[in-house]
């Protein structure tokens, strides 16, 4: 087996870690994802479902469940990252954004990175692991 180029966890470790992380986001009512630009300006808030997602029991991958789009963005700007928050607004994870139609682990995939105040913003996928 060749030496890994990055950290490599067992599936059992990922299942346990991502299940605990999911439970952290799910404490209280539904959490959210706050979309921000590179200057940390809040552009949009996307609600998460409750529970916020599911953990694959074989791979440990956590796939977030999005409750719906933000139908009226807070500000205009270019999306740089998303903050995964619990119902109290505490940030537990930040992921970089990218535009596209295919899920990418470790990225927050949006319908567009160009957010317009008052316009809709949709997350197409949010996966870690």
């Amino acid at each position: 087996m060749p030496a890994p180029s990055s950290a490599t966890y067992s599936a059992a470790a990922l299942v346990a870690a991502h299940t605990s992380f999911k439970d952290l986001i799910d404490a209280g009512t539904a959490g959210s994802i706050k979309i921000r630009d590179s200057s940390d300006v809040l552009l949009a808030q996307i609600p998460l479902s409750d529970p916020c997602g599911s953990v694959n029991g074989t791979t440990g991958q956590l796939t977030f469940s999005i409750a719906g789009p933000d139908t009226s963005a807070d500000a205009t700007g270019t999306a740089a990252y998303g903050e995964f928050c619990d119902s109290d607004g505490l940030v537990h994870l930040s992921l970089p954004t990218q535009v596209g139609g295919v899920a990418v682990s470790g990225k927050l995939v949006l319908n567009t990175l160009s957010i317009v105040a008052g316009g809709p913003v949709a997350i197409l996928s949010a996966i870690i692991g």
Side-chain angles (χ1 to χ4, degrees):
M1 173 188 282
S5 60
S6 62
T8 304
Y9 296 93
S10 70
L14 286 173
V15 168
H18 289 154
T19 299
S20 292
F21 181 76
K22 183 180 83 58
D23 292 345
L24 184 64
I25 297 291
D26 286 338
T29 58
S32 65
I33 301 173
K34 295 178 182 177
I35 308 297
R36 297 187 181 273
D37 69 10
S38 60
S39 298
D40 302 326
V41 173
L42 178 64
L43 302 176
Q45 293 190 84
I46 311 289
L48 289 168
S49 297
D50 192 7
C52 70
S54 61
V55 177
N56 182 302
T58 303
T59 65
Q61 189 173 61
L62 171 54
T63 301
F64 289 92
S65 299
I66 311 304
D70 181 339
T71 57
S72 181
D74 298 286
T76 297
T78 302
Y81 68 99
E83 297 174 323
F84 291 71
C85 304
D86 61 21
S87 62
D88 291 330
L90 296 173
V91 177
H92 294 290
L93 171 69
S94 294
L95 289 180
T97 57
Q98 76 176 48
V99 68
V102 178
V104 178
S105 185
K107 302 279 185 168
L108 187 58
V109 181
L110 302 174
N111 63 324
T112 182
L113 297 182
S114 299
I115 309 297
V116 177
V121 180
I123 294 176
L124 302 178
S125 75
I127 299 172
I128 57 173

